[in-house]
Amino acid sequence: MIVLLPPSETKRDGGDGPPLRLADLGAPDLGAVRKELIDDLVELAKDRPASRLALGISAKQDAEIDRNAALLTSATMPAISRYTGVLYDALDVDSLRGAAASRARARLAVGSALFGLVRADDAIPAYRLSAGSKLPGGQTLAARWKPVLEPVLADLATRDLVVDLRSGAYASLGRVPGAVDVDVVSERADGSRAVVSHFNKAHKGRLARILAGSRAEPDDAAAVAAIARRAGLRVERDGTAITIVVPA
């Protein structure tokens, strides 16, 4: 099983790894697009106004541009430690121990606007690029990634069940055939429901933690739902789609 996470806009600074080595990252078929995007971001960082426009940030966030300027020279750390925020706080992978920690590092992957797909231990620098960023040149990131990322994800799905926790913007970079898709809804006392927005990240992070460390090896959505239920989540399944239901 692979648990495919969304990235976060916020990323941890620093690292104790050497500068980025693209050849050492998993999914080497993505290398050409990775290099093109890195080169584009490093070049774009020379023009701060253009960078702000492309990345959708303000002058107060110019440190993000500095990160991109140093993509090829800054320190790296494992991807699963680089990303921060609500989902990653709920996942709390560093608190897992022993076999659960080993399983988590083998199962967790992140969909990235810059790298396409990274596994938990792939060493990456801090960067700023979102799925909706509009780099100069006209092509969207989805148009650049889809032709190369979808075959990689399809190959992954032939070997492992993929539980896709990405948001719509990141899923559009490359779809996973047969993936278990996950939504979160809140239920009011009268039984009516609403889609959970911000806090869905926390619930998806909790599910990711449950699945990543589980001793079970599910091979379909029904088995994924069973693991979640045993861990105390209320879930419903419709085919390959799972819905986490939480109180309003």
Side-chain angles (χ1 to χ4, degrees):
M1 173 176 58
I2 298 297
V3 182
L4 183 54
L5 306 172
S8 60
E9 287 193 353
T10 57
K11 298 172 184 69
R12 191 167 284 112
D13 285 321
D16 56 10
L20 179 64
R21 297 171 179 166
L22 283 176
D24 291 347
L25 299 182
D29 289 349
L30 305 180
V33 177
R34 288 167 174 164
K35 186 177 186 306
E36 289 172 3
L37 289 173
I38 288 168
D39 289 346
D40 286 351
L41 285 180
V42 171
E43 182 64 27
L44 185 62
K46 298 174 182 177
D47 185 336
R48 287 184 181 268
S51 287
R52 293 177 197 134
L53 181 63
L55 302 175
I57 60 175
S58 69
K60 293 180 179 179
Q61 297 171 287
D62 275 359
E64 302 280 7
I65 300 172
D66 296 335
R67 282 178 163 182
N68 285 350
L71 270 169
L72 296 173
T73 57
S74 58
T76 59
M77 69 172 66
I80 201 61
S81 299
R82 177 67 72 189
Y83 298 102
T84 63
V86 174
L87 186 150
Y88 289 88
D89 288 344
L91 171 60
D92 193 15
V93 71
D94 289 335
S95 69
L96 295 173
R97 296 289 180 267
S102 297
R103 285 191 291 267
R105 291 190 172 274
R107 288 173 174 172
L108 292 170
V110 181
S112 164
L114 181 57
F115 298 107
L117 177 74
V118 287
R119 300 301 288 263
D121 286 329
D122 279 345
I124 61 171
Y127 66 92
R128 180 64 179 242
L129 186 69
S130 302
S133 297
K134 298 178 181 179
L135 298 182
Q139 269 195 317
T140 64
L141 289 175
R144 296 175 76 165
W145 272 123
K146 204 168 187 178
V148 294
L149 182 56
E150 286 200 336
V152 168
L153 293 173
D155 180 64
L156 184 67
T158 65
R159 293 178 278 110
D160 294 287
L161 178 70
V162 178
V163 180
D164 193 349
L165 302 183
R166 296 174 300 168
S167 63
Y170 284 93
S172 72
L173 301 182
R175 303 288 176 177
V176 187
V180 177
D181 294 316
V182 179
D183 289 317
V184 183
V185 299
S186 62
E187 186 174 79
R188 304 181 184 91
D190 64 4
S192 61
R193 292 180 173 183
V195 175
V196 175
S197 54
H198 176 71
F199 287 105
N200 81 357
K201 295 179 181 179
H203 297 297
K204 286 185 175 181
R206 184 182 175 197
L207 176 63
R209 179 181 176 86
I210 291 165
L211 296 177
S214 173
R215 289 193 295 267
E217 191 62 64
D219 57 6
D220 60 19
V224 171
I227 294 170
R229 292 186 186 114
R230 286 197 297 270
L233 294 185
R234 180 184 170 193
V235 300
E236 298 173 352
R237 181 179 66 85
D238 182 6
T240 60
I242 286 179
T243 301
I244 303 171
V245 183
V246 299

